[in-house]
mmCIF file of all heavy atoms in Angstrom:
data_model
loop_
_atom_site.group_PDB
_atom_site.id
_atom_site.type_symbol
_atom_site.label_atom_id
_atom_site.label_comp_id
_atom_site.label_asym_id
_atom_site.label_seq_id
_atom_site.Cartn_x
_atom_site.Cartn_y
_atom_site.Cartn_z
ATOM 1 N N SER A 1 0.842 -1.190 -0.024
ATOM 2 C CA SER A 1 0.024 0.010 -0.001
ATOM 3 C C SER A 1 0.900 1.220 0.008
ATOM 4 O O SER A 1 2.106 1.174 0.033
ATOM 5 C CB SER A 1 -0.887 -0.007 1.213
ATOM 6 O OG SER A 1 -0.201 0.415 2.395
ATOM 7 N N TRP A 2 0.228 2.387 -0.035
ATOM 8 C CA TRP A 2 0.915 3.671 -0.012
ATOM 9 C C TRP A 2 1.894 3.721 1.196
ATOM 10 O O TRP A 2 3.001 4.323 1.065
ATOM 11 C CB TRP A 2 -0.144 4.793 0.095
ATOM 12 C CG TRP A 2 0.400 6.186 0.208
ATOM 13 C CD1 TRP A 2 0.635 6.876 1.355
ATOM 14 C CD2 TRP A 2 0.695 7.059 -0.885
ATOM 15 N NE1 TRP A 2 1.106 8.133 1.001
ATOM 16 C CE2 TRP A 2 1.125 8.310 -0.338
ATOM 17 C CE3 TRP A 2 0.676 6.951 -2.281
ATOM 18 C CZ2 TRP A 2 1.493 9.396 -1.116
ATOM 19 C CZ3 TRP A 2 1.004 8.054 -3.053
ATOM 20 C CH2 TRP A 2 1.410 9.212 -2.475
ATOM 21 N N HIS A 3 1.508 3.188 2.321
ATOM 22 C CA HIS A 3 2.334 3.207 3.514
ATOM 23 C C HIS A 3 2.997 1.878 3.824
ATOM 24 O O HIS A 3 3.369 1.590 4.934
ATOM 25 C CB HIS A 3 1.509 3.664 4.717
ATOM 26 C CG HIS A 3 1.130 5.080 4.682
ATOM 27 N ND1 HIS A 3 -0.008 5.615 5.201
ATOM 28 C CD2 HIS A 3 1.782 6.164 4.173
ATOM 29 C CE1 HIS A 3 -0.060 6.896 5.063
ATOM 30 N NE2 HIS A 3 1.006 7.281 4.415
ATOM 31 N N GLY A 4 3.157 1.035 2.792
ATOM 32 C CA GLY A 4 3.821 -0.274 2.959
ATOM 33 C C GLY A 4 5.105 -0.331 2.189
ATOM 34 O O GLY A 4 5.342 0.377 1.141
ATOM 35 N N MET A 5 6.073 -1.121 2.655
ATOM 36 C CA MET A 5 7.396 -1.178 2.030
ATOM 37 C C MET A 5 7.396 -1.817 0.691
ATOM 38 O O MET A 5 8.372 -1.660 -0.057
ATOM 39 C CB MET A 5 8.361 -1.827 2.996
ATOM 40 C CG MET A 5 8.081 -3.264 3.317
ATOM 41 S SD MET A 5 9.331 -4.043 4.376
ATOM 42 C CE MET A 5 10.772 -4.023 3.250
ATOM 43 N N ASP A 6 6.385 -2.596 0.339
ATOM 44 C CA ASP A 6 6.289 -3.238 -0.998
ATOM 45 C C ASP A 6 5.823 -2.294 -2.054
ATOM 46 O O ASP A 6 6.011 -2.547 -3.272
ATOM 47 C CB ASP A 6 5.391 -4.464 -0.959
ATOM 48 C CG ASP A 6 6.075 -5.650 -0.238
ATOM 49 O OD1 ASP A 6 7.264 -5.510 0.055
ATOM 50 O OD2 ASP A 6 5.402 -6.663 -0.039
ATOM 51 N N PHE A 7 5.135 -1.201 -1.710
ATOM 52 C CA PHE A 7 4.586 -0.244 -2.689
ATOM 53 C C PHE A 7 4.647 1.131 -2.062
ATOM 54 O O PHE A 7 3.661 1.856 -2.063
ATOM 55 C CB PHE A 7 3.142 -0.670 -2.982
ATOM 56 C CG PHE A 7 2.540 -0.131 -4.247
ATOM 57 C CD1 PHE A 7 3.317 0.401 -5.247
ATOM 58 C CD2 PHE A 7 1.154 -0.156 -4.399
ATOM 59 C CE1 PHE A 7 2.807 0.904 -6.394
ATOM 60 C CE2 PHE A 7 0.635 0.342 -5.596
ATOM 61 C CZ PHE A 7 1.432 0.880 -6.558
ATOM 62 N N PRO A 8 5.850 1.596 -1.595
ATOM 63 C CA PRO A 8 5.954 2.789 -0.790
ATOM 64 C C PRO A 8 5.595 4.038 -1.615
ATOM 65 O O PRO A 8 6.218 4.362 -2.619
ATOM 66 C CB PRO A 8 7.469 2.823 -0.381
ATOM 67 C CG PRO A 8 8.107 2.020 -1.434
ATOM 68 C CD PRO A 8 7.161 0.919 -1.846
ATOM 69 N N LEU A 9 4.592 4.759 -1.125
ATOM 70 C CA LEU A 9 4.090 5.974 -1.797
ATOM 71 C C LEU A 9 3.732 5.668 -3.259
ATOM 72 O O LEU A 9 3.857 6.558 -4.115
ATOM 73 C CB LEU A 9 5.109 7.132 -1.647
ATOM 74 C CG LEU A 9 5.645 7.393 -0.294
ATOM 75 C CD1 LEU A 9 6.609 8.584 -0.283
ATOM 76 C CD2 LEU A 9 4.548 7.620 0.733
ATOM 77 N N HIS A 10 3.342 4.445 -3.464
ATOM 78 C CA HIS A 10 2.938 3.946 -4.820
ATOM 79 C C HIS A 10 4.076 3.995 -5.818
ATOM 80 O O HIS A 10 3.851 4.291 -7.022
ATOM 81 C CB HIS A 10 1.702 4.688 -5.317
ATOM 82 C CG HIS A 10 0.443 4.335 -4.563
ATOM 83 N ND1 HIS A 10 -0.715 5.041 -4.740
ATOM 84 C CD2 HIS A 10 0.223 3.353 -3.692
ATOM 85 C CE1 HIS A 10 -1.645 4.465 -3.952
ATOM 86 N NE2 HIS A 10 -1.123 3.484 -3.299
ATOM 87 N N THR A 11 5.292 3.770 -5.347
ATOM 88 C CA THR A 11 6.476 3.704 -6.196
ATOM 89 C C THR A 11 7.140 2.338 -6.059
ATOM 90 O O THR A 11 6.685 1.504 -5.234
ATOM 91 C CB THR A 11 7.533 4.751 -5.787
ATOM 92 O OG1 THR A 11 8.138 4.400 -4.563
ATOM 93 C CG2 THR A 11 6.865 6.134 -5.639
ATOM 94 N N ASP A 12 8.205 2.119 -6.813
ATOM 95 C CA ASP A 12 9.009 0.921 -6.630
ATOM 96 C C ASP A 12 10.395 1.282 -6.056
ATOM 97 O O ASP A 12 11.311 0.501 -6.112
ATOM 98 C CB ASP A 12 9.169 0.125 -7.923
ATOM 99 C CG ASP A 12 9.834 0.960 -9.018
ATOM 100 O OD1 ASP A 12 10.157 2.181 -8.785
ATOM 101 O OD2 ASP A 12 10.079 0.476 -10.122
ATOM 102 N N THR A 13 10.455 2.471 -5.375
ATOM 103 C CA THR A 13 11.727 2.902 -4.803
ATOM 104 C C THR A 13 12.067 2.016 -3.578
ATOM 105 O O THR A 13 11.181 1.854 -2.685
ATOM 106 C CB THR A 13 11.635 4.394 -4.384
ATOM 107 O OG1 THR A 13 11.308 5.151 -5.551
ATOM 108 C CG2 THR A 13 12.925 4.861 -3.778
ATOM 109 N N PRO A 14 13.262 1.496 -3.451
ATOM 110 C CA PRO A 14 13.612 0.722 -2.294
ATOM 111 C C PRO A 14 13.576 1.557 -0.979
ATOM 112 O O PRO A 14 13.925 2.753 -1.011
ATOM 113 C CB PRO A 14 15.074 0.257 -2.575
ATOM 114 C CG PRO A 14 15.230 0.408 -4.071
ATOM 115 C CD PRO A 14 14.347 1.565 -4.419
ATOM 116 N N VAL A 15 13.245 0.950 0.097
ATOM 117 C CA VAL A 15 13.218 1.617 1.432
ATOM 118 C C VAL A 15 14.589 2.195 1.713
ATOM 119 O O VAL A 15 14.716 3.307 2.309
ATOM 120 C CB VAL A 15 12.762 0.637 2.491
ATOM 121 C CG1 VAL A 15 12.977 1.227 3.892
ATOM 122 C CG2 VAL A 15 11.297 0.290 2.306
ATOM 123 N N GLU A 16 15.645 1.493 1.353
ATOM 124 C CA GLU A 16 17.045 1.980 1.615
ATOM 125 C C GLU A 16 17.228 3.397 1.046
ATOM 126 O O GLU A 16 17.814 4.249 1.695
ATOM 127 C CB GLU A 16 18.042 1.047 0.995
ATOM 128 C CG GLU A 16 19.485 1.519 1.131
ATOM 129 C CD GLU A 16 20.509 0.545 0.582
ATOM 130 O OE1 GLU A 16 20.093 -0.545 0.117
ATOM 131 O OE2 GLU A 16 21.674 0.881 0.574
ATOM 132 N N ASP A 17 16.755 3.633 -0.199
ATOM 133 C CA ASP A 17 16.959 4.959 -0.797
ATOM 134 C C ASP A 17 16.223 6.052 0.011
ATOM 135 O O ASP A 17 16.762 7.184 0.258
ATOM 136 C CB ASP A 17 16.430 4.935 -2.234
ATOM 137 C CG ASP A 17 17.259 4.069 -3.149
ATOM 138 O OD1 ASP A 17 18.288 3.527 -2.637
ATOM 139 O OD2 ASP A 17 16.930 3.912 -4.305
ATOM 140 N N TYR A 18 15.009 5.743 0.437
ATOM 141 C CA TYR A 18 14.225 6.712 1.251
ATOM 142 C C TYR A 18 14.949 7.018 2.575
ATOM 143 O O TYR A 18 15.133 8.160 2.973
ATOM 144 C CB TYR A 18 12.872 6.137 1.645
ATOM 145 C CG TYR A 18 11.816 6.216 0.516
ATOM 146 C CD1 TYR A 18 11.209 5.069 0.044
ATOM 147 C CD2 TYR A 18 11.463 7.414 -0.107
ATOM 148 C CE1 TYR A 18 10.255 5.125 -0.989
ATOM 149 C CE2 TYR A 18 10.544 7.465 -1.082
ATOM 150 C CZ TYR A 18 9.901 6.295 -1.530
ATOM 151 O OH TYR A 18 8.964 6.367 -2.571
ATOM 152 N N TYR A 19 15.432 5.947 3.220
ATOM 153 C CA TYR A 19 16.047 6.076 4.522
ATOM 154 C C TYR A 19 17.359 6.937 4.467
ATOM 155 O O TYR A 19 17.608 7.800 5.302
ATOM 156 C CB TYR A 19 16.372 4.703 5.125
ATOM 157 C CG TYR A 19 16.366 4.638 6.582
ATOM 158 C CD1 TYR A 19 16.324 3.362 7.238
ATOM 159 C CD2 TYR A 19 16.352 5.729 7.413
ATOM 160 C CE1 TYR A 19 16.281 3.263 8.629
ATOM 161 C CE2 TYR A 19 16.319 5.613 8.810
ATOM 162 C CZ TYR A 19 16.248 4.408 9.382
ATOM 163 O OH TYR A 19 16.271 4.304 10.755
ATOM 164 N N LYS A 20 18.129 6.691 3.432
ATOM 165 C CA LYS A 20 19.382 7.428 3.354
ATOM 166 C C LYS A 20 19.142 8.909 3.026
ATOM 167 O O LYS A 20 19.812 9.803 3.607
ATOM 168 C CB LYS A 20 20.301 6.769 2.265
ATOM 169 C CG LYS A 20 20.866 5.457 2.783
ATOM 170 C CD LYS A 20 21.813 4.828 1.788
ATOM 171 C CE LYS A 20 22.469 3.570 2.365
ATOM 172 N NZ LYS A 20 23.389 2.926 1.414
ATOM 173 N N SER A 21 18.195 9.204 2.142
ATOM 174 C CA SER A 21 17.861 10.621 1.856
ATOM 175 C C SER A 21 17.330 11.258 3.128
ATOM 176 O O SER A 21 17.599 12.474 3.417
ATOM 177 C CB SER A 21 16.840 10.708 0.742
ATOM 178 O OG SER A 21 17.369 10.240 -0.439
ATOM 179 N N TYR A 22 16.510 10.583 3.910
ATOM 180 C CA TYR A 22 15.966 11.068 5.154
ATOM 181 C C TYR A 22 17.069 11.494 6.090
ATOM 182 O O TYR A 22 17.059 12.599 6.685
ATOM 183 C CB TYR A 22 15.111 9.937 5.737
ATOM 184 C CG TYR A 22 14.620 10.086 7.107
ATOM 185 C CD1 TYR A 22 13.345 10.633 7.404
ATOM 186 C CD2 TYR A 22 15.300 9.547 8.214
ATOM 187 C CE1 TYR A 22 12.884 10.682 8.707
ATOM 188 C CE2 TYR A 22 14.832 9.554 9.532
ATOM 189 C CZ TYR A 22 13.575 10.141 9.746
ATOM 190 O OH TYR A 22 13.122 10.166 11.015
ATOM 191 N N CYS A 23 18.068 10.583 6.277
ATOM 192 C CA CYS A 23 19.176 10.891 7.214
ATOM 193 C C CYS A 23 20.094 11.960 6.711
ATOM 194 O O CYS A 23 20.654 12.732 7.517
ATOM 195 C CB CYS A 23 19.946 9.585 7.541
ATOM 196 S SG CYS A 23 19.033 8.464 8.619
ATOM 197 N N GLU A 24 20.181 12.090 5.425
ATOM 198 C CA GLU A 24 20.981 13.212 4.837
ATOM 199 C C GLU A 24 20.263 14.511 5.048
ATOM 200 O O GLU A 24 20.900 15.577 5.391
ATOM 201 C CB GLU A 24 21.200 12.965 3.346
ATOM 202 C CG GLU A 24 22.172 11.798 3.049
ATOM 203 C CD GLU A 24 22.209 11.383 1.633
ATOM 204 O OE1 GLU A 24 21.320 11.854 0.823
ATOM 205 O OE2 GLU A 24 23.049 10.496 1.298
ATOM 206 N N ALA A 25 18.925 14.533 4.934
ATOM 207 C CA ALA A 25 18.136 15.766 5.189
ATOM 208 C C ALA A 25 18.207 16.163 6.707
ATOM 209 O O ALA A 25 18.125 17.320 7.069
ATOM 210 C CB ALA A 25 16.726 15.589 4.744
ATOM 211 N N LEU A 26 18.335 15.131 7.487
ATOM 212 C CA LEU A 26 18.358 15.395 8.967
ATOM 213 C C LEU A 26 19.643 16.159 9.378
ATOM 214 O O LEU A 26 19.650 16.890 10.376
ATOM 215 C CB LEU A 26 18.285 14.045 9.729
ATOM 216 C CG LEU A 26 18.291 14.109 11.258
ATOM 217 C CD1 LEU A 26 17.064 14.813 11.761
ATOM 218 C CD2 LEU A 26 18.348 12.701 11.784
ATOM 219 N N ARG A 27 20.710 16.029 8.580
ATOM 220 C CA ARG A 27 21.931 16.705 8.911
ATOM 221 C C ARG A 27 21.762 18.202 9.036
ATOM 222 O O ARG A 27 22.310 18.846 9.931
ATOM 223 C CB ARG A 27 23.001 16.417 7.839
ATOM 224 C CG ARG A 27 23.492 14.979 7.712
ATOM 225 C CD ARG A 27 24.408 14.613 8.847
ATOM 226 N NE ARG A 27 25.574 15.390 8.939
ATOM 227 C CZ ARG A 27 26.726 15.167 8.307
ATOM 228 N NH1 ARG A 27 26.841 14.148 7.462
ATOM 229 N NH2 ARG A 27 27.796 15.908 8.490
ATOM 230 N N THR A 28 20.952 18.796 8.191
ATOM 231 C CA THR A 28 20.758 20.255 8.227
ATOM 232 C C THR A 28 19.900 20.693 9.423
ATOM 233 O O THR A 28 20.076 21.757 9.960
ATOM 234 C CB THR A 28 20.138 20.758 6.912
ATOM 235 O OG1 THR A 28 20.884 20.214 5.838
ATOM 236 C CG2 THR A 28 20.180 22.234 6.797
ATOM 237 N N VAL A 29 18.993 19.784 9.860
ATOM 238 C CA VAL A 29 18.240 20.077 11.100
ATOM 239 C C VAL A 29 19.200 20.089 12.266
ATOM 240 O O VAL A 29 19.148 20.926 13.136
ATOM 241 C CB VAL A 29 17.162 19.004 11.330
ATOM 242 C CG1 VAL A 29 16.424 19.251 12.661
ATOM 243 C CG2 VAL A 29 16.110 19.047 10.202
ATOM 244 N N ASP A 30 20.147 19.148 12.273
ATOM 245 C CA ASP A 30 21.158 19.169 13.356
ATOM 246 C C ASP A 30 22.041 20.408 13.291
ATOM 247 O O ASP A 30 22.308 21.031 14.328
ATOM 248 C CB ASP A 30 22.033 17.889 13.213
ATOM 249 C CG ASP A 30 22.954 17.712 14.355
ATOM 250 O OD1 ASP A 30 22.453 17.345 15.434
ATOM 251 O OD2 ASP A 30 24.214 17.952 14.192
ATOM 252 N N ASP A 31 22.389 20.837 12.086
ATOM 253 C CA ASP A 31 23.133 22.089 11.935
ATOM 254 C C ASP A 31 22.340 23.246 12.532
ATOM 255 O O ASP A 31 22.918 24.204 13.103
ATOM 256 C CB ASP A 31 23.467 22.361 10.491
ATOM 257 C CG ASP A 31 24.494 21.434 9.921
ATOM 258 O OD1 ASP A 31 25.227 20.755 10.708
ATOM 259 O OD2 ASP A 31 24.576 21.369 8.664
ATOM 260 N N SER A 32 21.013 23.228 12.332
ATOM 261 C CA SER A 32 20.153 24.311 12.814
ATOM 262 C C SER A 32 20.280 24.420 14.339
ATOM 263 O O SER A 32 20.358 25.522 14.858
ATOM 264 C CB SER A 32 18.747 24.019 12.419
ATOM 265 O OG SER A 32 17.898 25.034 12.930
ATOM 266 N N ILE A 33 20.280 23.287 15.011
ATOM 267 C CA ILE A 33 20.447 23.284 16.454
ATOM 268 C C ILE A 33 21.775 23.953 16.834
ATOM 269 O O ILE A 33 21.830 24.764 17.748
ATOM 270 C CB ILE A 33 20.372 21.838 17.036
ATOM 271 C CG1 ILE A 33 18.971 21.305 16.839
ATOM 272 C CG2 ILE A 33 20.741 21.813 18.506
ATOM 273 C CD1 ILE A 33 18.787 19.824 17.234
ATOM 274 N N GLY A 34 22.821 23.592 16.098
ATOM 275 C CA GLY A 34 24.118 24.198 16.377
ATOM 276 C C GLY A 34 24.132 25.656 16.192
ATOM 277 O O GLY A 34 24.767 26.400 16.986
ATOM 278 N N SER A 35 23.463 26.168 15.152
ATOM 279 C CA SER A 35 23.396 27.617 14.931
ATOM 280 C C SER A 35 22.668 28.343 16.019
ATOM 281 O O SER A 35 23.063 29.418 16.470
ATOM 282 C CB SER A 35 22.723 27.911 13.580
ATOM 283 O OG SER A 35 23.445 27.389 12.496
ATOM 284 N N VAL A 36 21.606 27.783 16.509
ATOM 285 C CA VAL A 36 20.839 28.366 17.651
ATOM 286 C C VAL A 36 21.688 28.400 18.886
ATOM 287 O O VAL A 36 21.765 29.403 19.583
ATOM 288 C CB VAL A 36 19.545 27.589 17.893
ATOM 289 C CG1 VAL A 36 18.939 27.962 19.202
ATOM 290 C CG2 VAL A 36 18.550 27.725 16.752
ATOM 291 N N MET A 37 22.369 27.316 19.169
ATOM 292 C CA MET A 37 23.265 27.274 20.347
ATOM 293 C C MET A 37 24.358 28.279 20.291
ATOM 294 O O MET A 37 24.707 28.990 21.252
ATOM 295 C CB MET A 37 23.858 25.869 20.538
ATOM 296 C CG MET A 37 22.874 24.816 20.841
ATOM 297 S SD MET A 37 21.981 25.036 22.393
ATOM 298 C CE MET A 37 21.115 23.492 22.573
ATOM 299 N N GLU A 38 24.962 28.435 19.121
ATOM 300 C CA GLU A 38 26.035 29.397 18.896
ATOM 301 C C GLU A 38 25.496 30.829 19.104
ATOM 302 O O GLU A 38 26.218 31.681 19.745
ATOM 303 C CB GLU A 38 26.613 29.264 17.476
ATOM 304 C CG GLU A 38 27.792 30.156 17.202
ATOM 305 C CD GLU A 38 28.983 29.901 18.103
ATOM 306 O OE1 GLU A 38 29.158 28.717 18.581
ATOM 307 O OE2 GLU A 38 29.747 30.807 18.401
#
């Protein structure tokens, strides 16, 4: 289904690709915390 790993968001994109992009996008959120602290 749309929210299932066999048909994620109705694509054939592997979960691995989603997860890695997710964690790469998270890096800038972490940088944001650093900027606020500074």
Side-chain angles (χ1 to χ4, degrees):
S1 78
W2 179 268
H3 289 149
M5 63 178 292
D6 285 353
F7 200 16
L9 309 182
H10 290 169
T11 73
D12 59 358
T13 303
V15 170
E16 176 178 355
D17 293 357
Y18 283 123
Y19 209 166
K20 288 183 175 180
S21 295
Y22 169 93
C23 288
E24 289 168 353
L26 183 63
R27 293 287 300 273
T28 311
V29 175
D30 188 73
D31 288 345
S32 178
I33 294 173
S35 296
V36 168
M37 295 298 189
E38 185 62 28

